[in-house]
Amino acid sequence: MRTENSATDPSPIAVTAEPAPTATATSPTPVTAVAPVRRAAPARATLGGTLQAALGVAAFSLTFPATAWGLESFGPWSLVAVRSVLAALIAGGCLLAVGVSPHERSRAWGRVPLPARRHWAGLAVVAAGVVVGFPLLTTLALQTSTTAHAAVVVGLLPLTTALFSALRVGTRPSRTFWLAALTGAAAVAAFTVQQSGGALTIADLYLFGALLVCAAGYTEGGRLARVMPGWQVIGWALVLCLPIGVPAAVVALSHEAVQLSWHGVTGLLWVAAGSQFLGLVVWYRGMAAIGIPKASQLQLAQPLLTLVWSVLLLGEHLTVAAPLTAATVLVCIAVTQRARG
């Protein structure tokens, strides 16, 4: 029996049947043994990919509350620069520590092989969108916006990611998929905008800009995660930003006041280790296993999770519309997961 042990390889398992036993004197009826073709591995890979993408969404749902905590101790530019440096150090340590096969060591940085030259442009897009653009724009927005208002960008992110995926990767989701995605995005957008009072501010410009750059980074990262491990995608993107992040952190810390507190340090550590690295590791692995459009629809639940964390961690209040929106979102997620692209 030959198997493929990869979360990103959807090919079925080939099973070679054993020779059928022949009839004997004590067995008057011939026995025919039929070896079933097992197809559990692709199902397990899909389930594993969905769980990993869901873990990524759970990690991302804490980003806005953690950023709000971080802003209690750091300025926006300092917070973004320092989180990038810390996440890059974690990623670099992992790239140095993880072993590779002997035939890959000739082109390895530390112990992980360097990405092929054709992948560096894609890694730059991931770095610009996910490592720098989205954190910076959302942090600037959270200076004047509540986490509930900022959640609107996350509510629209799945639809934007699916659009970028269709343009960049060539995916063609079905009409049912698009109808469910639009319905879920509209429900989340209406809920979060209603929570914020519906007024457009300068923060909205930051949020919609973050929406675009993050969707581009997610799409490119999901594409690269099909040809290299997902954790290496975000790992190399973070390391790529390190030469810029270190001087940016030094300059920002010298110009913005720092008042360390338990909330501020905890928020910084989470957005650096949880949101910026670990969350993206499982997120890109999930996207590689189940596809960019379907994985992106799991993010429809992220604004609601963010609102829950906002109540528990920041003391914000929710309206009775929350459970109704949650039910709508869960139905939309179920439909998009079943729809064929």
Side-chain angles (χ1 to χ4, degrees), residues 91-183:
C94 291
L95 291 171
L96 287 170
V98 176
V100 297
S101 58
H103 71 277
E104 292 178 316
R105 289 175 184 164
S106 60
R107 63 187 187 93
W109 179 82
R111 302 186 66 183
V112 171
L114 287 168
R117 182 178 301 178
R118 65 183 182 277
H119 297 322
W120 281 107
L123 289 171
V125 174
V126 176
V130 177
V131 179
V132 178
F134 186 80
L136 177 60
L137 292 172
T138 54
T139 300
L140 292 173
L142 285 171
Q143 287 187 289
T144 57
S145 173
T146 64
T147 56
H149 185 80
V152 69
V153 68
V154 181
L156 297 177
L157 187 56
L159 178 59
T160 310
T161 303
L163 288 172
F164 271 75
S165 174
L167 295 174
R168 178 67 178 90
V169 187
T171 56
R172 293 295 182 269
S174 66
R175 292 181 179 179
T176 302
F177 179 96
W178 283 116
L179 179 60
L182 288 169
T183 302

Side-chain angles (χ1 to χ4, degrees), residues 63-332:
T63 300
F64 288 166
T67 299
W69 273 9
L71 287 172
E72 295 180 11
S73 295
F74 301 91
W77 296 90
S78 299
L79 181 61
V80 172
V82 173
R83 73 180 271 186
S84 173
V85 171
L86 291 179
L89 292 177
I90 297 172
C94 291
L95 291 171
L96 287 170
V98 176
V100 297
S101 58
H103 71 277
E104 292 178 316
R105 289 175 184 164
S106 60
R107 63 187 187 93
W109 179 82
R111 302 186 66 183
V112 171
L114 287 168
R117 182 178 301 178
R118 65 183 182 277
H119 297 322
W120 281 107
L123 289 171
V125 174
V126 176
V130 177
V131 179
V132 178
F134 186 80
L136 177 60
L137 292 172
T138 54
T139 300
L140 292 173
L142 285 171
Q143 287 187 289
T144 57
S145 173
T146 64
T147 56
H149 185 80
V152 69
V153 68
V154 181
L156 297 177
L157 187 56
L159 178 59
T160 310
T161 303
L163 288 172
F164 271 75
S165 174
L167 295 174
R168 178 67 178 90
V169 187
T171 56
R172 293 295 182 269
S174 66
R175 292 181 179 179
T176 302
F177 179 96
W178 283 116
L179 179 60
L182 288 169
T183 302
V188 172
F191 175 68
T192 50
V193 169
Q194 185 272 334
Q195 286 289 100
S196 65
L200 296 178
T201 64
I202 187 63
D204 293 301
L205 298 179
Y206 289 134
L207 292 173
F208 285 112
L211 172 70
L212 296 176
V213 298
C214 189
Y218 278 172
T219 300
E220 201 65 23
R223 185 186 68 82
L224 289 173
R226 292 180 176 272
V227 295
M228 69 174 70
W231 74 270
Q232 291 184 24
V233 174
I234 185 58
W236 286 115
L238 286 165
V239 171
L240 189 64
C241 291
L242 193 58
I244 301 174
V246 171
V250 172
V251 173
L253 289 172
S254 65
H255 286 80
E256 294 180 338
V258 176
Q259 297 178 346
L260 296 181
S261 66
W262 181 84
H263 274 181
V265 174
T266 301
L268 170 63
L269 292 177
W270 177 258
V271 294
S275 302
Q276 195 82 69
F277 182 66
L278 297 178
L280 286 169
V281 167
V282 293
W283 173 245
Y284 282 139
R285 285 177 61 90
M287 281 201 296
I290 65 177
I292 297 172
K294 287 189 176 182
S296 68
Q297 300 314 302
L298 292 175
Q299 281 195 305
L300 288 169
Q302 185 174 327
L304 303 179
L305 290 174
T306 299
L307 293 172
V308 171
W309 295 123
S310 298
V311 171
L312 297 178
L313 301 177
L314 304 177
E316 296 185 6
H317 300 282
L318 300 181
T319 66
V320 294
L324 297 177
T325 307
T328 302
V329 167
L330 290 177
V331 171
C332 291

